[in-house]
Amino acid sequence: MALIIIIFSTLCILGWLFQLPLLKGEILNSPASRLNSLLLFLVTGGSLLVLNRRSSTNINLLVSIIGLFIFLVGFFTTMANITGTLIFSIPGLEVESRPLSSFNFILFGGALFLFSRKKFFSIAQIFSFLAGLIGYMGLMIYLFGAAHILSSNIYSLMAIYSTILHTLVALSLLSLYPQEGIIRILHEDRYGSYMARKMLPVSLLAVTLIGISSSFLVDFLGFSANMGEILIMVMVVGFLFPFILWTAHYLNTLHHKQQLYQQRVKIIEGFYEDTLEGLLEGVLVTGGVNEIIYYNSHMQELFPELDKHVKKLNDFFQDRIPELKSYYNKSRTEMVPISIPAIKIREKYLSGWIIPQMNDGIFNGSIITFSDVTKQKEAELVRESSLKEKELLLGEIHHRVKNNMQIISSLLRLQGGQFTQEDVKEAFTESQNRIKTMALVHETLYQSDSFSQIALSLFIQKLINGLLSTFQPHGGPIRLESKLDPVKLGIDQCIPLGLVLNELVTNSFKHAFPHKKEGTITVILQKKDQKIILKVKDDGVGLQNRKLEDAPTLGLTLIKGLAEQLDADLHFESNNGLEVEISFQETGYDERI
């Protein structure tokens, strides 16, 4: 509409420049629109166009200044009309002042200023409505053909094109902020606003047409003024009757649609209520301020005290489910569904969910569900109790196996002490160390939290410390170092690996440092890509041109056999001592419980 105002004003200004009576507005006994008024209309249309399309601090400030300028021009022109002094006139184009047009510019300037500042929308809309009413009145004077019977003073108050522009500007201002002020009533999503949007233009058009038609008929048929009034009354009644019938029909249609909608809502509500009642879970629905909106019969079975007197969720939490309150607050704060683990309430175990409901990212209530999981929880407790008993029994077995192996080790030590031959005593000591190695596996398992895997680094450290105490009970020249990664290993692989380590460290103590020579034995444990690597190396005499693989000793036979059991790669290297590396793939532990 602002664009129409700009185009219309521009055409009228061109009429002045080229002296075209039709464009100047010299029709229907109307004088030409004043040039300064047309310029003000052009500026006003531009301001409305800018406000409609973009909004910023600088734009609003510019429109505020323009509105204030239009207000001052209208004010001073009105004062000039009162005092009889012409202002803002152009030489050669002077016409009589038109008070109503000047007054309208006061209203337009004030409305434009208030709209640009985004303040007092209702006042600005009232200003716009009054200005539009004045413009509509001026236009009706010409359409009713009453201009020729008015005095020159009254007639000169407004030109016909000015009345059209005044009406357009008023409508454009009223449409500027439809969601603000008193105009927002027409744009609300309600029946009254909807009916007003339908009835208002129809009523305005009907009243205008009735007035014009009655005036034409009076002139054409030569009726008196009284007859004209009667004719207007008849035409108004003729319009109102079908209009009221149409309004009633339209309202009945809306009412019927509302009834159908309410029926559908009841059907849907019944469906969901039947669905919720058919669930084997308790369901409770809350609102945005923690009020209890709905709960099904299963929820009331779980909580018999849940009745009409419990209106708030805090009343429900109080002395009933104190644990639930923390879960509810967490769900409300984090805006995510929260699972409620099995909690004991009275003699039952209940679990469920708290699902928050959101509206535009704001908490708007929740759905709380509960299921009776008493049987499942009791079965779980029985299983846990049974598993604990089996773990205790298994621990006791490991403990007794370790004790029995220690007894066997003690028997071997006593038996070996009865012999004087060094080779026989040495054989008994080696067997005793092997048995101690296997006993250490069961001891480590007994002391650990899990019976499926052993902390290999802890086991190796205990093993090599025991061997050090065996071969150097009072200290000696040989040092034992270790670099152990934190690795866990199942018992099926830990026992043969421990025996291999026992043989390798024992071999280094016995043969790497003859004549009590000083040296270092290093044990390295690594894990790379699910592969476990164990290295035992010393800085002793090495193999001295011998092949350890071909030595027919019991220790080497054990190492080879245990390596095959582990499906391991065995590698020997003699360079400034002896280094033995055994690597194998970690396998899963077969559960026995």
Side-chain angles (χ1 to χ4, degrees), residues 494-506:
C494 192
I495 290 177
L497 184 65
L499 291 173
V500 169
L501 179 61
N502 175 77
E503 297 301 324
L504 293 175
V505 174
T506 298

Side-chain angles (χ1 to χ4, degrees), residues 18 92 195 208 251 359 393 408 440 447 490 529 555 571-572 580:
F18 296 102
M195 287 301 300
T208 302
L251 289 175
N359 184 13
L393 179 60
I408 295 172
L440 184 59
Q447 294 174 351
D529 301 328
H571 178 69
F572 298 90
V580 182

Side-chain angles (χ1 to χ4, degrees), residues 268-280 283 294 296:
I268 295 173
E269 286 179 350
F271 169 77
Y272 282 112
E273 187 170 345
D274 292 342
T275 302
L276 292 175
E277 289 296 330
L279 294 175
L280 298 178
V283 179
Y294 169 83
N296 64 356

